[in-house]
Each structure stands twice: as C-alpha cells, then as structure tokens.
Amino acid sequence: RAEDSVDYVRWVALRTLRQLALVGDARAIRAAARLLDDADDDVRRGAAETLAALGAKGDRRVLTAAAAALRDPDARVRRAAVEAIAQVAPEGDEGALADVRLGCADVDARARRASVSALARLSLKGDRRTLDLLTARLGDSDARVRGAAAEALTMAVDEENADLILSTLTAWQAWTRG
C-alpha cells in the first residue's frame, strides 16, 4: 500500500506497481509521483525508478515529476530522476535537456556521471551546447565523470564536429597520462 505508515511497505508497493502496472497507466504514475515527496529517501528513489518504468516515451506527467525530483536532497533520488528523464524523454527534447544539463554540475559525482551519460542519449548529434558541456566535463574532478564525458562525446558527435572532438579527446588522453 502506497499510503502505509511503514517505509518498507511503501517501497515494496512501488516495486509491485512497477511489475504489475502497464506502461502509461495514469493511476500508477500518479501514485508514484506522489511518493516523490515521501519522507524516506529509498521510497523517493523507488518512486523515480517506478516513473521510469511506467512512462511511455514523451510522457509529460513523468517528465514533470522527474524534473522536480532533480532538486531532491538525496543524490540517489536525483540519479534515478535523471535516468527517468533519459528513458522517457524523446531525443532532442529541450526541456529534458535543460534539466539534465543542470545535473551535470551536481555536487555528487555519481549524479554528474548519470547526467553526462543521459545528456549524450538525449541530445541530437552535433548539438553544440551538449558538445561544449561534455568537453568541459573532461576536466571534472572525478575520474569516472571524465570517462563518462569522453564516452558521451563519442555518442554525441556528428561528422561536422568529429575532427574537433577527436583532437579534444586526443589532447585529453595525453593530459590524463601526465
């Protein structure tokens, strides 16, 4: 029961909802979205994961709820929200891209890494803002974020920018070797 007073029961209710509800089920999406405000961080994370599982491509209800969860105090909830956006938003969706770009500056390295990866999946190839942001993340303080940015650049580049990105990645690789 999603309204149970025990955190674990609410979390299990969300798992059950993910398994039984159909993609796009309005009642299930509303129930999961309500639990994004739960006091328990595991329940909020489960709610974001449930939204990702139930949202059809382009579902604005899911995208709106997940975008709000990007401001959650728990980094795991923010990561799950980024994943929900990446899974549900259509490629090139400007609102979703704006939300994910903000996550690339998250204080938590794992949330930044998830945002960097999501950005590459959502962006249209060759999007200049995406390429610039990913190039900037090559200088991130966290090695895994830098690696995700390098990988994301290979996914986001188009033929027009291939030489520029190749030279950037070559310079970055030389720099990382010291």
Side-chain angles (χ1 to χ4, degrees):
R1 293 190 31 203
E3 62 275 346
D4 199 282
S5 64
V6 178
D7 299 343
Y8 177 73
V9 173
R10 292 192 307 278
W11 181 81
V12 169
L14 283 164
R15 284 185 53 119
T16 303
L17 196 59
R18 275 197 303 270
Q19 294 170 340
L20 299 178
L22 298 173
V23 170
D25 182 316
R27 284 180 28 184
I29 290 170
R30 275 193 307 275
R34 274 194 311 272
L35 287 173
L36 286 172
D37 292 327
D38 196 87
D40 183 74
D41 54 346
D42 288 327
V43 172
R44 293 192 312 274
R45 181 173 44 100
E49 292 168 349
T50 300
L51 287 171
L54 297 180
K57 203 57 134 169
D59 190 322
R60 288 286 152 206
R61 300 165 301 182
V62 171
L63 292 172
T64 300
L70 292 174
R71 293 183 293 280
D72 194 277
D74 188 277
R76 296 172 310 144
V77 176
R78 295 192 305 274
R79 284 195 316 267
V82 163
E83 287 302 320
I85 291 170
Q87 190 165 324
V88 174
E91 185 179 41
D93 182 298
E94 281 303 320
L97 284 166
D99 291 333
V100 171
R101 282 185 191 111
L102 290 175
C104 291
D106 196 289
V107 296
D108 181 77
R110 288 175 293 184
R112 286 195 309 277
R113 189 171 72 230
S115 295
V116 162
S117 297
L119 187 60
R121 289 182 292 180
L122 285 175
S123 294
L124 298 174
K125 286 201 178 289
D127 178 72
R128 195 71 228 168
R129 286 178 294 175
T130 297
L131 295 174
D132 290 345
L133 195 149
L134 293 174
T135 301
R137 287 293 106 201
L138 291 173
D140 195 275
S141 61
D142 184 85
R144 289 184 177 162
V145 174
R146 293 191 304 268
E151 186 176 331
L153 274 167
T154 65
M155 293 171 51
V157 71
D158 61 352
E159 287 182 29
E160 184 179 319
N161 295 295
D163 289 340
L164 172 66
I165 298 303
L166 182 58
S167 64
T168 300
L169 287 173
T170 302
W172 173 74
Q173 187 178 29
W175 176 78
T176 58
R177 289 185 180 155

